[in-house]
Structure formats: structure tokens, C-alpha cells
Amino acid sequence: MSHETNGFYTNIDELIKDTSMARPHLVILGAGASLATFPNWDKSGKKLPLMMDFINIVGLSSILDRYSIYYKDRNFEEVYSDLYENSSYKELVENINTAVWNYFSRLELPSYPTLYDHLVLSLREKDLIATFNWDPLLYYACWRNHKHAKLPHVVYLHGNVAVGYCETDNTAGWINSKCNKCGRKFIPSRLLYPIKQKGYTQDKFTRYEWETLKSALSFAYMLTVFGYSTPQSDVEAIELMKDAWG
């Protein structure tokens, strides 16, 4: 039943109780969101890196130094992209992939409520969170709150260390679990792409995540961007968002 008078709510309580808006609220998260959640360190004492301090915080300096790679004052994704495109650095690229995965997979949530806990509990089941972050902290926040409320859907646009998927049945879930249809163990989602040509549509899992984002962008009634800025060199991300948002 409507509680409006001449098109307006009579008080704040009525406005809060009316959740009839059918279209979703879309929230896009970047590395700044995880950093704001843990400005100093996570439960285990690890820091959340941004792209400009990524190499030092994740501990890639020694790996790159062995190959005499210049990286100071450079965005990590640009460094990675240059290495990826050079076939002679194939082994180095694999070492970087492993080091990045190991660092992020060890991050932990503290026992107290975080910004991510508040975020997932503040949204509705019909809303969508699209995150570019590799860290598992948002996934963990959803996991420990899913019994208390119906949470928003989450898509992982750059993969995530906590999320795996089944290519056969197009299902996804906790990385250490199995597909509930075929029983096979989930495949880890891919984290690193060359920034100049990321090829989001080539990977089955990532393609589905981006298609979900595009659909939400074209239908959302509200868009919130928190801690994310699209790199100018990330052509595909810019084009995908332009096509959807207009």
C-alpha cells in the first residue's frame, strides 16, 4: 500500500520502508574500496596495494630485479602488460602470476564488522556489486552475512582468488568447492591480463561477469563508483562501459 501524499512521503520512515523500486542499484568497486576498508592492514597484517605501490607491497621487486626490469614509478598493470607481450619473459610472467595469487589468497577479514559488511547488508537482493578487486575480502563479507539477509549479486570483473568456476556447467563459487552439477572441482578464475588488450570476452567466466555488468548498467536506476578509475590504456573496459551506459 502506498504511503504517499500528493506524490510525496509523509515522513522519513515511510520512505525507508518503501523498497518497491524495481530497478537495481549498481555499485562498482576498485582497489580504493578495499584500501578504505583496511587503510592499514588486514587481519594477518598484510597491506592492501594500489597499482602504483603494488610491486613493493606484494613483494615483486626481487623477482623483477633478477630480470633487470625497470618498474619504479610505474603502474603495475603497465609493467605486466609489457612483459606479457614479450615471449622471452614467459617464465617471469608465470612467477608474477603465482606471487600475486599467493599474496591475495592469504588476506583475511578481521572479526569485527568492516565497510564491506556494511555495504553488502545495505543493498537489496536485486542490486549488483561489480568489483575489479582480486582480494577475497568482499567474498568473505558476503559469506559471513548470507545467513542474516538476502544479499546483492556480486560479479568479479578481473577474477578473484576466492572464486572458481566450472566451464562445463557455467557455475561459480568458493574456489575450494566443487560444481553442484558435475561434481568437478572449480577452476581458479584468471587474475592478470595485459592492460592494453585484456580480452575480457575470451575467458568464459570473465565474459559472463562483464555481460552481467553491461546488463545492469543499461537497467540500473542508480550507479555508485567507489575507489575505481578506469586506466586510459584499458581500452576494452572503457568501450564496454560506454556501450552499456551510453
Side-chain angles (χ1 to χ4, degrees):
M1 180 180 295
S2 174
H3 296 284
E4 296 182 54
T5 301
N6 296 326
F8 296 95
Y9 293 94
T10 57
N11 58 58
I12 294 297
D13 288 337
E14 291 178 0
L15 173 60
I16 293 173
K17 290 177 182 177
D18 185 0
T19 58
S20 60
M21 171 61 73
R23 295 195 290 168
H25 179 184
L26 170 60
V27 179
I28 296 178
L29 302 179
S34 286
L35 184 63
T37 305
F38 302 98
N40 297 314
W41 48 76
D42 78 323
K43 180 181 178 180
S44 63
K46 288 184 170 59
K47 291 185 177 182
L48 275 296
L50 297 176
M51 285 301 134
M52 292 307 297
D53 60 10
F54 190 96
I55 291 173
N56 290 327
I57 290 179
V58 176
L60 299 177
S61 303
S62 58
I63 298 175
L64 295 173
D65 286 340
R66 287 202 299 270
Y67 288 82
S68 301
I69 304 299
Y70 180 77
Y71 57 85
K72 294 183 179 179
D73 300 321
R74 294 187 66 197
N75 181 299
F76 165 69
E77 287 190 309
E78 293 177 357
V79 174
Y80 181 85
S81 184
D82 289 343
L83 296 174
Y84 186 92
E85 293 170 359
N86 189 330
S87 60
S88 62
Y89 290 122
K90 186 175 181 180
E91 182 180 2
L92 173 57
V93 167
E94 288 302 316
N95 290 338
I96 291 173
N97 290 343
T98 300
V100 170
W101 184 279
N102 289 341
Y103 187 88
F104 281 91
S105 63
R106 293 180 183 131
L107 295 172
E108 299 179 70
L109 278 179
S111 57
Y112 56 82
T114 68
L115 185 152
Y116 277 160
D117 294 285
H118 291 293
L119 174 63
V120 299
L121 289 173
S122 70
L123 297 172
R124 304 161 301 169
E125 189 177 13
K126 68 184 73 174
D127 297 329
L128 176 71
I129 299 175
T131 177
F132 284 90
N133 298 332
W134 299 321
D135 67 72
L137 304 176
L138 178 63
Y139 185 94
Y140 291 159
C142 290
W143 176 256
R144 72 181 182 185
N145 287 294
H146 79 280
K147 293 182 179 179
H148 305 296
K150 293 182 178 180
L151 302 181
H153 185 61
V154 180
V155 293
Y156 300 92
L157 304 174
H158 281 183
N160 191 274
V161 295
V163 180
Y165 69 102
C166 174
E167 288 186 310
T168 303
D169 298 303
N170 294 324
T171 58
W174 167 236
I175 184 65
N176 292 324
S177 60
K178 298 178 180 180
C179 174
N180 57 14
K181 294 183 179 180
C182 68
R184 296 189 184 94
K185 187 175 180 180
F186 283 135
I187 300 170
S189 53
R190 181 178 175 182
L191 301 185
L192 296 172
Y193 294 83
I195 194 172
K196 297 173 184 177
Q197 189 66 33
K198 288 199 171 180
Y200 296 124
T201 58
Q202 296 175 14
D203 177 88
K204 202 170 186 179
F205 170 79
T206 310
R207 180 171 66 247
Y208 175 79
E209 304 295 271
W210 276 90
E211 287 173 353
T212 303
L213 171 62
K214 289 174 69 177
S215 176
L217 275 170
S218 64
F219 189 61
Y221 85 95
M222 182 181 292
L223 170 65
T224 300
V225 180
F226 180 21
Y228 174 72
S229 176
T230 307
Q232 291 300 310
S233 52
D234 194 346
V235 178
E236 290 191 54
I238 294 172
E239 289 304 313
L240 281 169
M241 290 193 182
K242 279 184 177 179
D243 289 345
W245 193 249

